[in-house]
Amino acid sequence: MPTGRTARARIDSAVMILASRRDRGDGDGDGDGCAGGRAWDHQGVRALVIVALAFPAVAAAQPAPRFASGTRAADVAVCLQPLGKVDAATLGVVERGVAAAFGFTARRLPKIALPRAAYYPPRKRYRADQLLDHLQAEVVPTAGCALVLGVTTVDISVTKDDHPDWGILGLARLDSQVAVISTYRTRRGVSTRVSRQRTVKVATHELGHALGLPHDDSVAGCMMNDAGGTVRTVDRESGAPCRHEREAIEARTGVDLPDVAALDWDVVLGR
């Protein structure tokens, strides 16, 4: 876990002691994962603690912020890329939602066709991971945006555990430039207002992944809660980053975000 790994890294910087090591890692489709630590014998631990107390630890190197110093939230461009036909009203709501949640500047690109290579005939769906590949290869290089968010109305899916084709609301790769969301599952059996609220919440959640945040269920109702296979979880979210999520994004990007406890839905929905 990060705290333990950082502490050990600091001790390693103070002294050069060889010890046995075992690493492990795993992850899911959103890029979440964990890494194991080192196994130390009792005597080695005691020796390291004594030396660490005698010499100041050297701070572990932190990754550089994603954006240059002085970058404002409004300087960060998020491009909405319609994949197939998407109504202008939905795109406008997502634009306002992204701007309200993060302070970023959202703008839409001309629509493009859904890539044939991503189509999965047995379920008449599009594979979300292949849509991300398409956005990364064909849109990011010329879009001039920090992040590209694909928006589509068709059903999208991934392989999940024992399910070769699992329908999802959205997908993003952790700490990347691309994310994709679908309105297919957000609009079933609910009003237009609720559907659009859900769509915005899925958008901010997937952009959170692209900005480096994994799923986090430590506080209920926060942006990065895992949907757990149901859109009802999305309904409980505010749509904006909770304080700890906002601080994590600020640390990763070097950009100050607006302090927004909850989205003003009348504004976001254009009422």
Side-chain angles (χ1 to χ4, degrees):
M1 291 300 174
T3 301
R5 185 171 58 199
T6 301
R8 292 178 185 122
R10 289 176 177 171
I11 293 173
D12 286 349
S13 334
V15 295
M16 295 181 65
I17 296 179
L18 299 178
S20 62
R21 177 176 181 175
R22 183 183 66 182
D23 292 325
R24 59 185 173 86
D26 50 24
D28 61 25
D30 281 339
D32 305 350
C34 61
R38 296 176 181 175
W40 303 92
D41 61 79
H42 179 71
Q43 184 176 0
V45 170
R46 185 166 53 207
L48 286 174
V49 170
I50 292 173
V51 177
L53 291 174
F55 296 94
V58 178
Q62 298 298 319
R66 184 163 181 166
F67 300 107
S69 176
T71 301
R72 302 170 303 159
D75 298 329
V76 179
V78 178
C79 282
L80 273 57
Q81 176 60 76
L83 296 168
K85 186 177 180 180
V86 182
D87 68 276
T90 296
L91 294 171
V93 168
V94 175
E95 286 175 338
R96 290 189 292 273
V98 168
F102 301 109
F104 299 157
T105 297
R107 61 182 177 87
R108 72 191 72 173
L109 301 173
K111 75 173 182 179
I112 60 175
L114 286 150
R116 292 183 180 180
Y119 188 60
Y120 184 66
R123 301 296 294 275
K124 297 181 179 179
R125 293 171 169 170
Y126 283 80
R127 301 289 293 178
D129 50 344
Q130 293 186 42
L131 293 178
L132 293 182
D133 290 341
H134 185 74
L135 292 172
Q136 184 66 53
E138 303 298 332
V139 179
V140 169
T142 58
C145 298
L147 298 162
V148 172
L149 175 66
V151 183
T152 187
T153 61
V154 302
D155 200 12
I156 61 176
S157 62
V158 294
T159 298
K160 178 179 173 64
D161 301 327
D162 295 330
H163 303 277
D165 192 62
W166 179 267
I168 59 173
L169 298 164
L171 183 69
R173 294 196 177 103
L174 202 65
D175 198 14
S176 71
Q177 288 181 273
V178 291
V180 64
I181 64 170
S182 166
T183 64
Y184 184 86
R185 294 170 184 274
T186 65
R187 66 178 186 265
R188 294 189 299 182
V190 295
S191 67
T192 299
R193 179 183 177 89
V194 172
S195 172
R196 289 178 177 169
Q197 286 177 320
R198 288 175 171 178
T199 300
V200 169
K201 293 175 183 180
V202 175
T204 58
H205 176 98
E206 298 305 339
L207 288 174
H209 281 316
L211 290 166
L213 301 190
H215 287 140
D216 181 356
D217 294 323
S218 62
V219 181
C222 286
M223 182 180 76
M224 298 311 298
N225 286 176
D226 189 346
T230 173
V231 73
R232 299 297 180 186
T233 305
V234 178
D235 292 335
R236 295 191 290 270
E237 297 176 5
S238 71
C242 287
R243 179 178 177 179
H244 67 284
E245 295 169 332
R246 184 180 72 251
E247 291 175 348
I249 293 173
E250 289 176 336
R252 287 178 171 275
T253 63
V255 176
D256 291 334
L257 303 186
D259 185 356
V260 179
L263 299 184
D264 184 335
W265 288 111
D266 286 337
V267 172
V268 172
L269 298 176
R271 303 295 182 182

